[in-house]
């Protein structure tokens, strides 16, 4: 293919080389001996210029080209060629040679024989995963950062910036905005090309309330404006162009004042995806500008950045066969069909890249609302390892305690009890001797409000509801009004569920009293206990002087951009995003949606050491990558490498448990919480509501499964009997192979 270039050294004499016989015939064919087909570059391009009355097709054929690509008016050019033959301006024998060459290659390609192309799976064959990955790879490598004052990109310190994104000429909820919002809270605006000036001004006035504005240009009809330039003067402004690079010339003033400028070259889903990732450090910026943009940028311009956060990629980018991952879809679908859960989310990340991100099913069994990547789930006991443990590791880093310290040194109420000698290491290993759980809600029940017992091993006229596999309960009780109120008021601020508030004194006094008076087991013997983590949460609060949810938000969740990871989510998140957890007809007598499922956590106001955290899989992934990075994420350090390796690498001599993390059971693989193919170094946790995560430092990857398998009833155990989570984990390792 001959380009439309002016090369005086080759005798083009001011004409495009594609129309030069000196280049196409004498140089390419005669001197270089080329015997193949000669194509012109696109004849609709501005570089394809001839004389005023000349036909571009005629000139291209005279030069010796065989195939003329994309003339603007084919019919007109065809007539011009026929007339040129009549005038003997074109030699028919030369045209015959062109035709013979074309026919020869058609025969070589087998096009002389008619072959019917099967239409079944045609789309999949034309759009194979490898082709999609290659397209993605090309886009990722091309993103060019031509300005980056004060190393603004990749963005850091997310907790200190209020961020907005505005698209000029882009679609509402475009891919660029979707990916930006995966990294942190970003308020998105859209200014169509036909928007009234007063409406545009209103948006620019609104943008003035933000610290950092990410402005994207999506078509060539948009131009610079004084309002944008004023923002660039006052705020941190990142300009991103999804157009040909020459469009930058229209935005000279704003580019001059902007902190950073990014070129993505075209408005496609892949270019918008990877431009957003460059901005937040999901991928590194590598591109170099290939053209000259007068008064702005020269060829070769391009700042290099580092990858600092999770990226979003095709499986092949991590060396994984995408077809092998399809087994996961099959397992998930089996769980849906057999009602193991209404819906959920699965994320797989390897080498700092999320390579599988699937939302499946519905919020509940009415199947009216589909699960999306923004759906929030109750993490249940996963809260221990991603909330309490994260805070505990930070407190340990700050020297507030040692693993050999006694818990009674910090929870002084235990000093005169049989719990006084429990050490923190044993609590993390679940071998402290504390009971598995304590039904704190029983202390709040009016004992005179019901007859008989609350629990029974069999169903009868009194015990009408099944509570678990072996227990039926009596729901006909009332709470003591001195402990539980149906409205929030002074002294009753801890919210258990809708219209259920427990007294503050109960949270501060009765919980610790219940633990203090609980039966003590054998220290050193493994018994998984939620009570361990309830006490550890209390310890963190006393050491730091802050409520644990506030401490976690300040030091981790806000700077990580994990805005969907939170306790008491109804105070922070739209309730329509939260999946229901259970129709609780016993303790709270209502559908639980946004209220913690675990009763012990509920009677502490929803913030407990053993449960209470809610999250999306995407935001949970940021915490897991922090662990995998040994304490860093987004170019910032949160925990020391030493602390991370201590907590993630240690293992109890008495059980499979690590320091707060669960681990594979090497001695009894069939009883392991992990897949059979998981290596011994894997660590993570499972949750009662149908959740889990597993981190594999050997293969540099992690896996998240979130669901609400307890809806509508906790008695649904099909998730366990079908081994859904462990089978998915094994499918990942099979794909690695």
């Amino acid at each position: 293919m001959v380009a439309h270039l002016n090369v005086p050294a080759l005798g083009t004499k001011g004409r495009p080389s594609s129309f030069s016989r000196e280049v196409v015939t004498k140089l390419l064919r005669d001197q270089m001996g080329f015997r193949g087909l000669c194509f012109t570059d696109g004849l609709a391009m501005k570089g394809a210029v001839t004389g005023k009355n000349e036909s571009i097709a005629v000139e291209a054929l005279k030069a010796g080209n065989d195939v003329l690509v994309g003339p603007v008016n084919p019919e007109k050019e065809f007539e011009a060629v026929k007339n040129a033959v009549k005038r003997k301006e074109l030699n028919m024998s030369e045209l015959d040679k062109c035709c013979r060459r074309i026919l020869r290659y058609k025969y070589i390609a087998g096009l002389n024989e008619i072959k019917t192309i099967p239409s079944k799976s045609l789309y999949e064959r034309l759009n194979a995963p490898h082709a999609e990955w290659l397209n993605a790879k090309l886009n990722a490598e091309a993103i060019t950062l031509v300005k980056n004052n004060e190393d603004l990109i990749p963005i850091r310190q997310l907790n200190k910036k209020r961020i907005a994104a505005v698209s000029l000429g882009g679609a509402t909820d475009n891919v660029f905005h979707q990916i930006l919002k995966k990294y942190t809270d970003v308020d998105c605006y859209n200014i169509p090309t036909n928007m009234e000036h007063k409406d545009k001004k209103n948006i620019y006035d609104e943008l003035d309330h933000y610290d950092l504005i990410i402005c994207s240009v999506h078509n060539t009809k948009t131009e610079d404006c004084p309002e944008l330039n004023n923002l660039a003067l006052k705020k941190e402004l990142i300009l991103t162009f999804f157009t040909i690079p020459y469009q930058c010339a229209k935005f000279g003033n704003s580019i001059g004042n902007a902190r950073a400028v990014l070129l993505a070259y075209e408005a496609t889903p892949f270019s918008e995806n990877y431009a957003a990732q460059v901005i937040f450090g999901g991928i590194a910026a590598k591109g170099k500008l290939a053209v000259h943009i007068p008064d702005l940028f020269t060829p070769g311009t391009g700042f290099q950045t580092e990858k600092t956060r999770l990226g979003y990629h095709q499986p092949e980018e991590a060396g994984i066969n995408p077809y092998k991952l399809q087994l996961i879809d099959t397992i998930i679908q089996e769980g849906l069909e057999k009602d193991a859960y209404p819906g959920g989310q699965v994320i797989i990340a390897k080498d700092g890249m999320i390579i599988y991100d699937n939302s499946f099913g519905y919020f509940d069994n009415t199947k009216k609302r589909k699960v999306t990547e923004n759906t929030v789930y109750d993490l249940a006991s996963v809260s221990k390892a991603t909330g309490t443990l994260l805070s505990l590791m930070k407190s340990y880093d700050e020297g507030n305690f040692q693993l050999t310290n006694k818990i009674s040194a910090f929870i002084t109420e235990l000093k005169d009890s049989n719990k006084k000698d429990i050490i923190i290491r044993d609590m993390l290993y679940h071998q402290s001797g504390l009971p598995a759980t304590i039904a704190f809600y029983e202390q709040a029940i009016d004992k005179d409000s019901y007859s008989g017992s609350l629990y029974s091993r069999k169903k009868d006229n009194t015990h009408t509801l099944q509570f678990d596999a072996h227990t039926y309960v009596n729901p006909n009780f009332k709470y003591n009004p001195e402990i539980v109120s149906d409205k929030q008021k002074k002294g009753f601020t801890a919210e258990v569920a809708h219209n259920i508030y427990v007294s503050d004194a109960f949270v501060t006094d009765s919980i610790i009293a219940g633990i203090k008076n609980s039966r003590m087991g054998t220290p050193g013997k493994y018994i998984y206990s939620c009570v361990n983590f309830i006490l550890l949460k209390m310890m963190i609060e006393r050491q730091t002087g802050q409520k644990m949810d506030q401490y976690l938000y300040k030091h981790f969740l806000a700077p990580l951009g994990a805005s969907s990871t939170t306790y008491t989510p109804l105070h922070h998140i739209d309730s329509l995003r939260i999946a229901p957890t259970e129709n609780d007809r016993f303790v709270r007598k209502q559908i639980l949606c946004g209220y913690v499922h675990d009763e012990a956590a509920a009677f502490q106001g929803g913030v407990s050491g053993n449960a209470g955290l809610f999250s999306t899989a995407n935001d949970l992934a940021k915490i897991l990558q922090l662990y995998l990075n040994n304490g860093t994420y987004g170019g910032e350090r949160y925990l020391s490498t030493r602390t991370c390796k201590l907590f993630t690498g240690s293992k109890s001599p008495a059980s499979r448990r690590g320091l707060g993390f669960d681990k594979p059971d090497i001695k009894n693989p069939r009883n392991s919480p992990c897949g059979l193919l998981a290596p011994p170094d894997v660590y993570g946790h499972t949750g009662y509501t149908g959740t889990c995560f597993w981190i594999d430092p050997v293969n540099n990857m992690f896996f998240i499964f979130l669901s609400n398998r307890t809806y509508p009833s906790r008695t649904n155990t099909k998730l366990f009997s079908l081994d859904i989570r462990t089978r998915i984990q094994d499918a990942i390792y099979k794909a690695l192979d």
Side-chain angles (χ1 to χ4, degrees), residues 15 17-22 24-25 29 38-40 43 50 55-69 71 74 77-85 89-99 101-102:
R15 291 167 63 82
S17 51
S18 48
F19 299 153
S20 170
R21 192 168 183 82
E22 293 291 328
V24 179
T25 298
R29 291 203 184 280
C38 289
F39 292 74
T40 68
L43 294 177
T50 62
S55 160
I56 57 173
V58 171
E59 294 303 306
L61 289 170
K62 285 164 65 175
N65 291 288
D66 299 308
V67 182
L68 315 186
V69 179
E77 293 297 339
F78 184 50
E79 288 299 320
V81 170
K82 289 197 293 184
N83 291 332
V85 171
E89 185 179 346
L90 279 174
N91 189 325
M92 196 64 199
S93 64
E94 290 292 323
L95 295 182
D96 286 342
K97 289 180 181 178
C98 291
C99 289
R101 278 193 290 266
I102 293 170

Side-chain angles (χ1 to χ4, degrees), residues 406-468:
K406 296 177 180 179
I407 188 64
S408 58
F410 307 99
I411 311 296
T412 54
E413 295 91 330
L414 300 177
K415 283 191 173 181
D416 60 348
S417 74
N418 58 356
K419 319 290 188 308
K420 64 181 180 180
D421 293 325
I422 295 174
I423 64 171
I424 294 171
R425 179 187 286 114
D426 283 346
M427 297 174 74
L428 290 167
Y429 281 154
H430 292 280
Q431 55 193 45
S432 64
L434 287 168
T437 188
I438 298 174
F440 297 110
Y441 62 86
E442 291 180 5
Q443 301 175 43
I445 292 175
D446 182 353
K447 301 298 187 294
D448 297 326
S449 66
Y450 66 95
S451 59
S453 62
L454 277 177
Y455 309 102
S456 172
R457 285 291 182 180
K458 60 181 180 178
K459 186 175 183 179
D460 54 36
N461 291 335
T462 301
H463 304 91
T464 56
L465 298 178
Q466 187 173 3
F467 188 67
D468 58 32

